Amino acid sequence: MHLDRVAPASAATAPTITPTPALIAAQPSIATPISGARRHRWTSRGTRALRQSIGLIVVIVVWQLGARSWLGTTTPAPTEVVTAGWDLIKTGELWDHLAASTRRVAIGLSIGIGIGLVLGAAAGLFRFAEDLVNAPIQVLRMMPAVALVPVFIIWFGIGDPFKIALIIVAPIFPIYLNVLAGIRGVDQKLIEAAESLELSRVELVRYVVLPGALPQIFVGLRQALGIGWLVLVVAEMQTTPVGLGFLMNDAKEYLRVDQIFLVLVIYAILGLITDVAVRLLERRFLSWRNGFEGR
């Protein structure tokens, strides 16, 4: 029997099935696989976030136990540090210091990272620019931030310009090195494939070089942000009237060890927040990358 000889059932003889709520509920949901995938994704994220928190929880527990036993009375417990922070929050003093420090870091890092990106991109794309820029960058990179403090005080005084200038210098070097390495590390086969498609210079940089260099650029960005917070500590320890460094110096003068540890914890939290922000940006812009993620 051929299938084309089978007459289709007429509309009059075809049974009519009226959908009922029970029948609809019994039908398999098309969105079930998607919902299951979403639940699995959120579950895996929650599990990983829990794993990432275990290390910090262990450190806090060991710190709490050690402050009550082998670390002695010179080390405050986390509960005492939290109490000291709450006292400063109630007076509003902590917010003033935190706002001043955050403003300095934001201005300094914005300018410094911008300079590093421009210099690194120029050196990576043009041999002539690398020949001009690389030697001075390498010389300045070997100068520690502490050694620049007296020079910058002579140039800019002891106000905010000195602190911001010191923060500007610090992130230039890691950004420059990683941008340069990222551009030069782009696979030559990709460059040849783009040239075979007759892409322009701008298109080559936009669609091939920049995406290929982004992973290394994000590494430099994470390093630059961490160095920025470290240099802020050095800058604010130099006769500043407001800021987290002033709070630490003041606590040192009055032997407030709990406030000293409070400032250290705040620096650590701010550094962690900036690193997490970069990781989120990295996940957003590097979602196309398929690399080894570990087990």
Side-chain angles (χ1 to χ4, degrees), residues 211-219 222 278-279 281-293:
L214 268 182
Q216 192 71 31
I217 293 175
F218 274 111
V219 172
R222 294 177 67 183
V278 175
R279 293 290 296 272
L281 289 175
E282 186 177 5
R283 185 179 302 174
R284 166 67 177 83
F285 289 101
L286 298 181
S287 58
W288 50 267
R289 185 179 58 172
N290 293 322
F292 179 70
E293 297 181 356

mmCIF file with all atom_site columns, all heavy atoms in Angstrom, residues 211-219 222 278-279 281-293:
data_model
loop_
_atom_site.group_PDB
_atom_site.id
_atom_site.type_symbol
_atom_site.label_atom_id
_atom_site.label_alt_id
_atom_site.label_comp_id
_atom_site.label_asym_id
_atom_site.label_entity_id
_atom_site.label_seq_id
_atom_site.pdbx_PDB_ins_code
_atom_site.Cartn_x
_atom_site.Cartn_y
_atom_site.Cartn_z
_atom_site.occupancy
_atom_site.B_iso_or_equiv
_atom_site.pdbx_formal_charge
_atom_site.auth_seq_id
_atom_site.auth_comp_id
_atom_site.auth_asym_id
_atom_site.auth_atom_id
_atom_site.pdbx_PDB_model_num
ATOM 1   N N   . PRO A 1 211 ? 39.859 41.119 20.580 1.00 0.00 ? 211 PRO A N   1
ATOM 2   C CA  . PRO A 1 211 ? 39.327 39.931 21.273 1.00 0.00 ? 211 PRO A CA  1
ATOM 3   C C   . PRO A 1 211 ? 40.416 38.946 21.695 1.00 0.00 ? 211 PRO A C   1
ATOM 4   O O   . PRO A 1 211 ? 40.317 38.340 22.770 1.00 0.00 ? 211 PRO A O   1
ATOM 5   C CB  . PRO A 1 211 ? 38.396 39.310 20.228 1.00 0.00 ? 211 PRO A CB  1
ATOM 6   C CG  . PRO A 1 211 ? 38.016 40.426 19.329 1.00 0.00 ? 211 PRO A CG  1
ATOM 7   C CD  . PRO A 1 211 ? 39.227 41.301 19.254 1.00 0.00 ? 211 PRO A CD  1
ATOM 8   N N   . GLY A 1 212 ? 41.454 38.801 20.880 1.00 0.00 ? 212 GLY A N   1
ATOM 9   C CA  . GLY A 1 212 ? 42.525 37.887 21.245 1.00 0.00 ? 212 GLY A CA  1
ATOM 10  C C   . GLY A 1 212 ? 43.356 38.371 22.423 1.00 0.00 ? 212 GLY A C   1
ATOM 11  O O   . GLY A 1 212 ? 43.908 37.554 23.177 1.00 0.00 ? 212 GLY A O   1
ATOM 12  N N   . ALA A 1 213 ? 43.456 39.694 22.599 1.00 0.00 ? 213 ALA A N   1
ATOM 13  C CA  . ALA A 1 213 ? 44.264 40.252 23.690 1.00 0.00 ? 213 ALA A CA  1
ATOM 14  C C   . ALA A 1 213 ? 43.469 40.464 24.968 1.00 0.00 ? 213 ALA A C   1
ATOM 15  O O   . ALA A 1 213 ? 44.072 40.708 26.027 1.00 0.00 ? 213 ALA A O   1
ATOM 16  C CB  . ALA A 1 213 ? 44.875 41.583 23.247 1.00 0.00 ? 213 ALA A CB  1
ATOM 17  N N   . LEU A 1 214 ? 42.152 40.389 24.904 1.00 0.00 ? 214 LEU A N   1
ATOM 18  C CA  . LEU A 1 214 ? 41.323 40.695 26.075 1.00 0.00 ? 214 LEU A CA  1
ATOM 19  C C   . LEU A 1 214 ? 41.652 39.844 27.300 1.00 0.00 ? 214 LEU A C   1
ATOM 20  O O   . LEU A 1 214 ? 41.696 40.377 28.423 1.00 0.00 ? 214 LEU A O   1
ATOM 21  C CB  . LEU A 1 214 ? 39.837 40.552 25.720 1.00 0.00 ? 214 LEU A CB  1
ATOM 22  C CG  . LEU A 1 214 ? 39.130 41.816 25.235 1.00 0.00 ? 214 LEU A CG  1
ATOM 23  C CD1 . LEU A 1 214 ? 37.660 41.531 24.981 1.00 0.00 ? 214 LEU A CD1 1
ATOM 24  C CD2 . LEU A 1 214 ? 39.285 42.941 26.244 1.00 0.00 ? 214 LEU A CD2 1
ATOM 25  N N   . PRO A 1 215 ? 41.850 38.524 27.175 1.00 0.00 ? 215 PRO A N   1
ATOM 26  C CA  . PRO A 1 215 ? 42.174 37.753 28.382 1.00 0.00 ? 215 PRO A CA  1
ATOM 27  C C   . PRO A 1 215 ? 43.394 38.282 29.124 1.00 0.00 ? 215 PRO A C   1
ATOM 28  O O   . PRO A 1 215 ? 43.378 38.408 30.349 1.00 0.00 ? 215 PRO A O   1
ATOM 29  C CB  . PRO A 1 215 ? 42.406 36.337 27.834 1.00 0.00 ? 215 PRO A CB  1
ATOM 30  C CG  . PRO A 1 215 ? 41.599 36.278 26.585 1.00 0.00 ? 215 PRO A CG  1
ATOM 31  C CD  . PRO A 1 215 ? 41.693 37.643 25.993 1.00 0.00 ? 215 PRO A CD  1
ATOM 32  N N   . GLN A 1 216 ? 44.447 38.615 28.387 1.00 0.00 ? 216 GLN A N   1
ATOM 33  C CA  . GLN A 1 216 ? 45.646 39.136 29.029 1.00 0.00 ? 216 GLN A CA  1
ATOM 34  C C   . GLN A 1 216 ? 45.415 40.537 29.586 1.00 0.00 ? 216 GLN A C   1
ATOM 35  O O   . GLN A 1 216 ? 45.961 40.896 30.633 1.00 0.00 ? 216 GLN A O   1
ATOM 36  C CB  . GLN A 1 216 ? 46.797 39.161 28.022 1.00 0.00 ? 216 GLN A CB  1
ATOM 37  C CG  . GLN A 1 216 ? 48.163 39.403 28.619 1.00 0.00 ? 216 GLN A CG  1
ATOM 38  C CD  . GLN A 1 216 ? 48.669 38.219 29.408 1.00 0.00 ? 216 GLN A CD  1
ATOM 39  O OE1 . GLN A 1 216 ? 48.351 37.087 29.095 1.00 0.00 ? 216 GLN A OE1 1
ATOM 40  N NE2 . GLN A 1 216 ? 49.439 38.474 30.447 1.00 0.00 ? 216 GLN A NE2 1
ATOM 41  N N   . ILE A 1 217 ? 44.587 41.327 28.913 1.00 0.00 ? 217 ILE A N   1
ATOM 42  C CA  . ILE A 1 217 ? 44.283 42.672 29.399 1.00 0.00 ? 217 ILE A CA  1
ATOM 43  C C   . ILE A 1 217 ? 43.551 42.601 30.733 1.00 0.00 ? 217 ILE A C   1
ATOM 44  O O   . ILE A 1 217 ? 43.816 43.397 31.650 1.00 0.00 ? 217 ILE A O   1
ATOM 45  C CB  . ILE A 1 217 ? 43.457 43.438 28.352 1.00 0.00 ? 217 ILE A CB  1
ATOM 46  C CG1 . ILE A 1 217 ? 44.304 43.706 27.099 1.00 0.00 ? 217 ILE A CG1 1
ATOM 47  C CG2 . ILE A 1 217 ? 42.940 44.755 28.924 1.00 0.00 ? 217 ILE A CG2 1
ATOM 48  C CD1 . ILE A 1 217 ? 43.526 44.365 25.971 1.00 0.00 ? 217 ILE A CD1 1
ATOM 49  N N   . PHE A 1 218 ? 42.631 41.663 30.883 1.00 0.00 ? 218 PHE A N   1
ATOM 50  C CA  . PHE A 1 218 ? 41.909 41.530 32.143 1.00 0.00 ? 218 PHE A CA  1
ATOM 51  C C   . PHE A 1 218 ? 42.842 41.086 33.270 1.00 0.00 ? 218 PHE A C   1
ATOM 52  O O   . PHE A 1 218 ? 42.650 41.478 34.423 1.00 0.00 ? 218 PHE A O   1
ATOM 53  C CB  . PHE A 1 218 ? 40.749 40.548 31.990 1.00 0.00 ? 218 PHE A CB  1
ATOM 54  C CG  . PHE A 1 218 ? 39.496 41.184 31.463 1.00 0.00 ? 218 PHE A CG  1
ATOM 55  C CD1 . PHE A 1 218 ? 39.028 40.894 30.187 1.00 0.00 ? 218 PHE A CD1 1
ATOM 56  C CD2 . PHE A 1 218 ? 38.780 42.080 32.232 1.00 0.00 ? 218 PHE A CD2 1
ATOM 57  C CE1 . PHE A 1 218 ? 37.878 41.480 29.702 1.00 0.00 ? 218 PHE A CE1 1
ATOM 58  C CE2 . PHE A 1 218 ? 37.633 42.673 31.755 1.00 0.00 ? 218 PHE A CE2 1
ATOM 59  C CZ  . PHE A 1 218 ? 37.173 42.373 30.488 1.00 0.00 ? 218 PHE A CZ  1
ATOM 60  N N   . VAL A 1 219 ? 43.840 40.273 32.956 1.00 0.00 ? 219 VAL A N   1
ATOM 61  C CA  . VAL A 1 219 ? 44.837 39.912 33.962 1.00 0.00 ? 219 VAL A CA  1
ATOM 62  C C   . VAL A 1 219 ? 45.570 41.161 34.451 1.00 0.00 ? 219 VAL A C   1
ATOM 63  O O   . VAL A 1 219 ? 45.756 41.367 35.661 1.00 0.00 ? 219 VAL A O   1
ATOM 64  C CB  . VAL A 1 219 ? 45.831 38.879 33.391 1.00 0.00 ? 219 VAL A CB  1
ATOM 65  C CG1 . VAL A 1 219 ? 46.986 38.652 34.369 1.00 0.00 ? 219 VAL A CG1 1
ATOM 66  C CG2 . VAL A 1 219 ? 45.128 37.568 33.095 1.00 0.00 ? 219 VAL A CG2 1
ATOM 67  N N   . ARG A 1 222 ? 43.300 43.284 36.749 1.00 0.00 ? 222 ARG A N   1
ATOM 68  C CA  . ARG A 1 222 ? 43.205 42.785 38.114 1.00 0.00 ? 222 ARG A CA  1
ATOM 69  C C   . ARG A 1 222 ? 44.465 43.123 38.906 1.00 0.00 ? 222 ARG A C   1
ATOM 70  O O   . ARG A 1 222 ? 44.389 43.516 40.088 1.00 0.00 ? 222 ARG A O   1
ATOM 71  C CB  . ARG A 1 222 ? 42.991 41.270 38.100 1.00 0.00 ? 222 ARG A CB  1
ATOM 72  C CG  . ARG A 1 222 ? 41.664 40.853 37.496 1.00 0.00 ? 222 ARG A CG  1
ATOM 73  C CD  . ARG A 1 222 ? 41.524 39.360 37.439 1.00 0.00 ? 222 ARG A CD  1
ATOM 74  N NE  . ARG A 1 222 ? 41.441 38.780 38.775 1.00 0.00 ? 222 ARG A NE  1
ATOM 75  C CZ  . ARG A 1 222 ? 41.375 37.475 39.009 1.00 0.00 ? 222 ARG A CZ  1
ATOM 76  N NH1 . ARG A 1 222 ? 41.411 36.619 38.000 1.00 0.00 ? 222 ARG A NH1 1
ATOM 77  N NH2 . ARG A 1 222 ? 41.284 37.022 40.250 1.00 0.00 ? 222 ARG A NH2 1
ATOM 78  N N   . VAL A 1 278 ? 35.932 42.958 38.346 1.00 0.00 ? 278 VAL A N   1
ATOM 79  C CA  . VAL A 1 278 ? 36.681 42.636 37.127 1.00 0.00 ? 278 VAL A CA  1
ATOM 80  C C   . VAL A 1 278 ? 36.347 41.234 36.650 1.00 0.00 ? 278 VAL A C   1
ATOM 81  O O   . VAL A 1 278 ? 36.222 40.980 35.440 1.00 0.00 ? 278 VAL A O   1
ATOM 82  C CB  . VAL A 1 278 ? 38.194 42.789 37.374 1.00 0.00 ? 278 VAL A CB  1
ATOM 83  C CG1 . VAL A 1 278 ? 38.988 42.340 36.151 1.00 0.00 ? 278 VAL A CG1 1
ATOM 84  C CG2 . VAL A 1 278 ? 38.532 44.228 37.697 1.00 0.00 ? 278 VAL A CG2 1
ATOM 85  N N   . ARG A 1 279 ? 36.168 40.294 37.574 1.00 0.00 ? 279 ARG A N   1
ATOM 86  C CA  . ARG A 1 279 ? 35.808 38.934 37.190 1.00 0.00 ? 279 ARG A CA  1
ATOM 87  C C   . ARG A 1 279 ? 34.451 38.899 36.494 1.00 0.00 ? 279 ARG A C   1
ATOM 88  O O   . ARG A 1 279 ? 34.241 38.149 35.528 1.00 0.00 ? 279 ARG A O   1
ATOM 89  C CB  . ARG A 1 279 ? 35.782 38.022 38.419 1.00 0.00 ? 279 ARG A CB  1
ATOM 90  C CG  . ARG A 1 279 ? 37.131 37.799 39.063 1.00 0.00 ? 279 ARG A CG  1
ATOM 91  C CD  . ARG A 1 279 ? 38.039 36.954 38.190 1.00 0.00 ? 279 ARG A CD  1
ATOM 92  N NE  . ARG A 1 279 ? 37.513 35.617 37.999 1.00 0.00 ? 279 ARG A NE  1
ATOM 93  C CZ  . ARG A 1 279 ? 37.742 34.596 38.803 1.00 0.00 ? 279 ARG A CZ  1
ATOM 94  N NH1 . ARG A 1 279 ? 38.501 34.773 39.887 1.00 0.00 ? 279 ARG A NH1 1
ATOM 95  N NH2 . ARG A 1 279 ? 37.246 33.408 38.547 1.00 0.00 ? 279 ARG A NH2 1
ATOM 96  N N   . LEU A 1 281 ? 33.129 41.415 34.766 1.00 0.00 ? 281 LEU A N   1
ATOM 97  C CA  . LEU A 1 281 ? 33.358 41.973 33.431 1.00 0.00 ? 281 LEU A CA  1
ATOM 98  C C   . LEU A 1 281 ? 34.035 40.952 32.525 1.00 0.00 ? 281 LEU A C   1
ATOM 99  O O   . LEU A 1 281 ? 33.701 40.839 31.340 1.00 0.00 ? 281 LEU A O   1
ATOM 100 C CB  . LEU A 1 281 ? 34.222 43.232 33.529 1.00 0.00 ? 281 LEU A CB  1
ATOM 101 C CG  . LEU A 1 281 ? 33.573 44.480 34.131 1.00 0.00 ? 281 LEU A CG  1
ATOM 102 C CD1 . LEU A 1 281 ? 34.599 45.587 34.269 1.00 0.00 ? 281 LEU A CD1 1
ATOM 103 C CD2 . LEU A 1 281 ? 32.399 44.942 33.280 1.00 0.00 ? 281 LEU A CD2 1
ATOM 104 N N   . GLU A 1 282 ? 34.968 40.207 33.082 1.00 0.00 ? 282 GLU A N   1
ATOM 105 C CA  . GLU A 1 282 ? 35.653 39.181 32.310 1.00 0.00 ? 282 GLU A CA  1
ATOM 106 C C   . GLU A 1 282 ? 34.685 38.107 31.841 1.00 0.00 ? 282 GLU A C   1
ATOM 107 O O   . GLU A 1 282 ? 34.749 37.663 30.699 1.00 0.00 ? 282 GLU A O   1
ATOM 108 C CB  . GLU A 1 282 ? 36.758 38.564 33.168 1.00 0.00 ? 282 GLU A CB  1
ATOM 109 C CG  . GLU A 1 282 ? 37.647 37.584 32.425 1.00 0.00 ? 282 GLU A CG  1
ATOM 110 C CD  . GLU A 1 282 ? 38.753 37.057 33.310 1.00 0.00 ? 282 GLU A CD  1
ATOM 111 O OE1 . GLU A 1 282 ? 38.752 37.388 34.519 1.00 0.00 ? 282 GLU A OE1 1
ATOM 112 O OE2 . GLU A 1 282 ? 39.601 36.318 32.817 1.00 0.00 ? 282 GLU A OE2 1
ATOM 113 N N   . ARG A 1 283 ? 33.778 37.709 32.721 1.00 0.00 ? 283 ARG A N   1
ATOM 114 C CA  . ARG A 1 283 ? 32.778 36.707 32.335 1.00 0.00 ? 283 ARG A CA  1
ATOM 115 C C   . ARG A 1 283 ? 31.838 37.251 31.266 1.00 0.00 ? 283 ARG A C   1
ATOM 116 O O   . ARG A 1 283 ? 31.383 36.520 30.392 1.00 0.00 ? 283 ARG A O   1
ATOM 117 C CB  . ARG A 1 283 ? 31.988 36.288 33.565 1.00 0.00 ? 283 ARG A CB  1
ATOM 118 C CG  . ARG A 1 283 ? 30.992 35.160 33.322 1.00 0.00 ? 283 ARG A CG  1
ATOM 119 C CD  . ARG A 1 283 ? 30.275 34.815 34.604 1.00 0.00 ? 283 ARG A CD  1
ATOM 120 N NE  . ARG A 1 283 ? 31.212 34.431 35.648 1.00 0.00 ? 283 ARG A NE  1
ATOM 121 C CZ  . ARG A 1 283 ? 30.840 34.186 36.906 1.00 0.00 ? 283 ARG A CZ  1
ATOM 122 N NH1 . ARG A 1 283 ? 29.581 34.328 37.261 1.00 0.00 ? 283 ARG A NH1 1
ATOM 123 N NH2 . ARG A 1 283 ? 31.741 33.818 37.794 1.00 0.00 ? 283 ARG A NH2 1
ATOM 124 N N   . ARG A 1 284 ? 31.580 38.559 31.321 1.00 0.00 ? 284 ARG A N   1
ATOM 125 C CA  . ARG A 1 284 ? 30.667 39.166 30.357 1.00 0.00 ? 284 ARG A CA  1
ATOM 126 C C   . ARG A 1 284 ? 31.311 39.287 28.982 1.00 0.00 ? 284 ARG A C   1
ATOM 127 O O   . ARG A 1 284 ? 30.698 38.945 27.960 1.00 0.00 ? 284 ARG A O   1
ATOM 128 C CB  . ARG A 1 284 ? 30.239 40.542 30.860 1.00 0.00 ? 284 ARG A CB  1
ATOM 129 C CG  . ARG A 1 284 ? 29.560 41.443 29.844 1.00 0.00 ? 284 ARG A CG  1
ATOM 130 C CD  . ARG A 1 284 ? 28.206 40.898 29.421 1.00 0.00 ? 284 ARG A CD  1
ATOM 131 N NE  . ARG A 1 284 ? 27.548 41.793 28.506 1.00 0.00 ? 284 ARG A NE  1
ATOM 132 C CZ  . ARG A 1 284 ? 27.771 41.848 27.206 1.00 0.00 ? 284 ARG A CZ  1
ATOM 133 N NH1 . ARG A 1 284 ? 28.665 41.036 26.651 1.00 0.00 ? 284 ARG A NH1 1
ATOM 134 N NH2 . ARG A 1 284 ? 27.109 42.693 26.447 1.00 0.00 ? 284 ARG A NH2 1
ATOM 135 N N   . PHE A 1 285 ? 32.556 39.742 28.909 1.00 0.00 ? 285 PHE A N   1
ATOM 136 C CA  . PHE A 1 285 ? 33.188 40.014 27.621 1.00 0.00 ? 285 PHE A CA  1
ATOM 137 C C   . PHE A 1 285 ? 33.970 38.825 27.073 1.00 0.00 ? 285 PHE A C   1
ATOM 138 O O   . PHE A 1 285 ? 34.365 38.847 25.904 1.00 0.00 ? 285 PHE A O   1
ATOM 139 C CB  . PHE A 1 285 ? 34.117 41.223 27.744 1.00 0.00 ? 285 PHE A CB  1
ATOM 140 C CG  . PHE A 1 285 ? 33.395 42.528 27.913 1.00 0.00 ? 285 PHE A CG  1
ATOM 141 C CD1 . PHE A 1 285 ? 33.267 43.118 29.165 1.00 0.00 ? 285 PHE A CD1 1
ATOM 142 C CD2 . PHE A 1 285 ? 32.805 43.159 26.836 1.00 0.00 ? 285 PHE A CD2 1
ATOM 143 C CE1 . PHE A 1 285 ? 32.598 44.313 29.333 1.00 0.00 ? 285 PHE A CE1 1
ATOM 144 C CE2 . PHE A 1 285 ? 32.132 44.353 26.988 1.00 0.00 ? 285 PHE A CE2 1
ATOM 145 C CZ  . PHE A 1 285 ? 32.022 44.933 28.241 1.00 0.00 ? 285 PHE A CZ  1
ATOM 146 N N   . LEU A 1 286 ? 34.221 37.834 27.902 1.00 0.00 ? 286 LEU A N   1
ATOM 147 C CA  . LEU A 1 286 ? 34.958 36.654 27.439 1.00 0.00 ? 286 LEU A CA  1
ATOM 148 C C   . LEU A 1 286 ? 34.086 35.411 27.478 1.00 0.00 ? 286 LEU A C   1
ATOM 149 O O   . LEU A 1 286 ? 34.592 34.297 27.662 1.00 0.00 ? 286 LEU A O   1
ATOM 150 C CB  . LEU A 1 286 ? 36.207 36.442 28.290 1.00 0.00 ? 286 LEU A CB  1
ATOM 151 C CG  . LEU A 1 286 ? 37.255 37.561 28.252 1.00 0.00 ? 286 LEU A CG  1
ATOM 152 C CD1 . LEU A 1 286 ? 38.444 37.205 29.117 1.00 0.00 ? 286 LEU A CD1 1
ATOM 153 C CD2 . LEU A 1 286 ? 37.693 37.844 26.824 1.00 0.00 ? 286 LEU A CD2 1
ATOM 154 N N   . SER A 1 287 ? 32.796 35.590 27.311 1.00 0.00 ? 287 SER A N   1
ATOM 155 C CA  . SER A 1 287 ? 31.891 34.442 27.328 1.00 0.00 ? 287 SER A CA  1
ATOM 156 C C   . SER A 1 287 ? 32.126 33.521 26.136 1.00 0.00 ? 287 SER A C   1
ATOM 157 O O   . SER A 1 287 ? 31.741 32.347 26.165 1.00 0.00 ? 287 SER A O   1
ATOM 158 C CB  . SER A 1 287 ? 30.433 34.919 27.326 1.00 0.00 ? 287 SER A CB  1
ATOM 159 O OG  . SER A 1 287 ? 30.175 35.733 26.188 1.00 0.00 ? 287 SER A OG  1
ATOM 160 N N   . TRP A 1 288 ? 32.766 34.016 25.078 1.00 0.00 ? 288 TRP A N   1
ATOM 161 C CA  . TRP A 1 288 ? 33.030 33.220 23.886 1.00 0.00 ? 288 TRP A CA  1
ATOM 162 C C   . TRP A 1 288 ? 34.212 32.270 24.075 1.00 0.00 ? 288 TRP A C   1
ATOM 163 O O   . TRP A 1 288 ? 34.394 31.335 23.298 1.00 0.00 ? 288 TRP A O   1
ATOM 164 C CB  . TRP A 1 288 ? 33.365 34.157 22.717 1.00 0.00 ? 288 TRP A CB  1
ATOM 165 C CG  . TRP A 1 288 ? 34.407 35.173 23.047 1.00 0.00 ? 288 TRP A CG  1
ATOM 166 C CD1 . TRP A 1 288 ? 34.207 36.435 23.509 1.00 0.00 ? 288 TRP A CD1 1
ATOM 167 C CD2 . TRP A 1 288 ? 35.835 35.013 22.968 1.00 0.00 ? 288 TRP A CD2 1
ATOM 168 N NE1 . TRP A 1 288 ? 35.399 37.084 23.714 1.00 0.00 ? 288 TRP A NE1 1
ATOM 169 C CE2 . TRP A 1 288 ? 36.420 36.231 23.380 1.00 0.00 ? 288 TRP A CE2 1
ATOM 170 C CE3 . TRP A 1 288 ? 36.670 33.968 22.572 1.00 0.00 ? 288 TRP A CE3 1
ATOM 171 C CZ2 . TRP A 1 288 ? 37.788 36.436 23.426 1.00 0.00 ? 288 TRP A CZ2 1
ATOM 172 C CZ3 . TRP A 1 288 ? 38.040 34.162 22.616 1.00 0.00 ? 288 TRP A CZ3 1
ATOM 173 C CH2 . TRP A 1 288 ? 38.588 35.380 23.041 1.00 0.00 ? 288 TRP A CH2 1
ATOM 174 N N   . ARG A 1 289 ? 35.023 32.504 25.101 1.00 0.00 ? 289 ARG A N   1
ATOM 175 C CA  . ARG A 1 289 ? 36.252 31.728 25.253 1.00 0.00 ? 289 ARG A CA  1
ATOM 176 C C   . ARG A 1 289 ? 35.957 30.375 25.893 1.00 0.00 ? 289 ARG A C   1
ATOM 177 O O   . ARG A 1 289 ? 35.286 30.295 26.924 1.00 0.00 ? 289 ARG A O   1
ATOM 178 C CB  . ARG A 1 289 ? 37.253 32.493 26.119 1.00 0.00 ? 289 ARG A CB  1
ATOM 179 C CG  . ARG A 1 289 ? 38.598 31.816 26.238 1.00 0.00 ? 289 ARG A CG  1
ATOM 180 C CD  . ARG A 1 289 ? 39.549 32.631 27.085 1.00 0.00 ? 289 ARG A CD  1
ATOM 181 N NE  . ARG A 1 289 ? 39.031 32.856 28.414 1.00 0.00 ? 289 ARG A NE  1
ATOM 182 C CZ  . ARG A 1 289 ? 39.725 33.408 29.400 1.00 0.00 ? 289 ARG A CZ  1
ATOM 183 N NH1 . ARG A 1 289 ? 40.940 33.816 29.177 1.00 0.00 ? 289 ARG A NH1 1
ATOM 184 N NH2 . ARG A 1 289 ? 39.178 33.576 30.592 1.00 0.00 ? 289 ARG A NH2 1
ATOM 185 N N   . ASN A 1 290 ? 36.451 29.334 25.297 1.00 0.00 ? 290 ASN A N   1
ATOM 186 C CA  . ASN A 1 290 ? 36.335 27.980 25.847 1.00 0.00 ? 290 ASN A CA  1
ATOM 187 C C   . ASN A 1 290 ? 37.722 27.503 26.261 1.00 0.00 ? 290 ASN A C   1
ATOM 188 O O   . ASN A 1 290 ? 38.542 27.128 25.432 1.00 0.00 ? 290 ASN A O   1
ATOM 189 C CB  . ASN A 1 290 ? 35.743 27.014 24.809 1.00 0.00 ? 290 ASN A CB  1
ATOM 190 C CG  . ASN A 1 290 ? 34.298 27.348 24.484 1.00 0.00 ? 290 ASN A CG  1
ATOM 191 O OD1 . ASN A 1 290 ? 33.536 27.725 25.359 1.00 0.00 ? 290 ASN A OD1 1
ATOM 192 N ND2 . ASN A 1 290 ? 33.937 27.226 23.223 1.00 0.00 ? 290 ASN A ND2 1
ATOM 193 N N   . GLY A 1 291 ? 37.973 27.588 27.535 1.00 0.00 ? 291 GLY A N   1
ATOM 194 C CA  . GLY A 1 291 ? 39.274 27.178 28.057 1.00 0.00 ? 291 GLY A CA  1
ATOM 195 C C   . GLY A 1 291 ? 39.114 26.175 29.181 1.00 0.00 ? 291 GLY A C   1
ATOM 196 O O   . GLY A 1 291 ? 38.022 25.853 29.618 1.00 0.00 ? 291 GLY A O   1
ATOM 197 N N   . PHE A 1 292 ? 40.253 25.698 29.671 1.00 0.00 ? 292 PHE A N   1
ATOM 198 C CA  . PHE A 1 292 ? 40.250 24.742 30.770 1.00 0.00 ? 292 PHE A CA  1
ATOM 199 C C   . PHE A 1 292 ? 39.809 25.451 32.044 1.00 0.00 ? 292 PHE A C   1
ATOM 200 O O   . PHE A 1 292 ? 40.387 26.466 32.436 1.00 0.00 ? 292 PHE A O   1
ATOM 201 C CB  . PHE A 1 292 ? 41.635 24.140 30.946 1.00 0.00 ? 292 PHE A CB  1
ATOM 202 C CG  . PHE A 1 292 ? 41.719 23.160 32.082 1.00 0.00 ? 292 PHE A CG  1
ATOM 203 C CD1 . PHE A 1 292 ? 41.090 21.926 31.993 1.00 0.00 ? 292 PHE A CD1 1
ATOM 204 C CD2 . PHE A 1 292 ? 42.421 23.468 33.226 1.00 0.00 ? 292 PHE A CD2 1
ATOM 205 C CE1 . PHE A 1 292 ? 41.167 21.024 33.031 1.00 0.00 ? 292 PHE A CE1 1
ATOM 206 C CE2 . PHE A 1 292 ? 42.515 22.565 34.267 1.00 0.00 ? 292 PHE A CE2 1
ATOM 207 C CZ  . PHE A 1 292 ? 41.876 21.342 34.175 1.00 0.00 ? 292 PHE A CZ  1
ATOM 208 N N   . GLU A 1 293 ? 38.784 24.928 32.697 1.00 0.00 ? 293 GLU A N   1
ATOM 209 C CA  . GLU A 1 293 ? 38.237 25.550 33.893 1.00 0.00 ? 293 GLU A CA  1
ATOM 210 C C   . GLU A 1 293 ? 38.517 24.752 35.159 1.00 0.00 ? 293 GLU A C   1
ATOM 211 O O   . GLU A 1 293 ? 38.069 25.130 36.229 1.00 0.00 ? 293 GLU A O   1
ATOM 212 C CB  . GLU A 1 293 ? 36.713 25.718 33.743 1.00 0.00 ? 293 GLU A CB  1
ATOM 213 C CG  . GLU A 1 293 ? 36.325 26.645 32.606 1.00 0.00 ? 293 GLU A CG  1
ATOM 214 C CD  . GLU A 1 293 ? 34.819 26.803 32.499 1.00 0.00 ? 293 GLU A CD  1
ATOM 215 O OE1 . GLU A 1 293 ? 34.110 26.126 33.269 1.00 0.00 ? 293 GLU A OE1 1
ATOM 216 O OE2 . GLU A 1 293 ? 34.365 27.596 31.658 1.00 0.00 ? 293 GLU A OE2 1
#
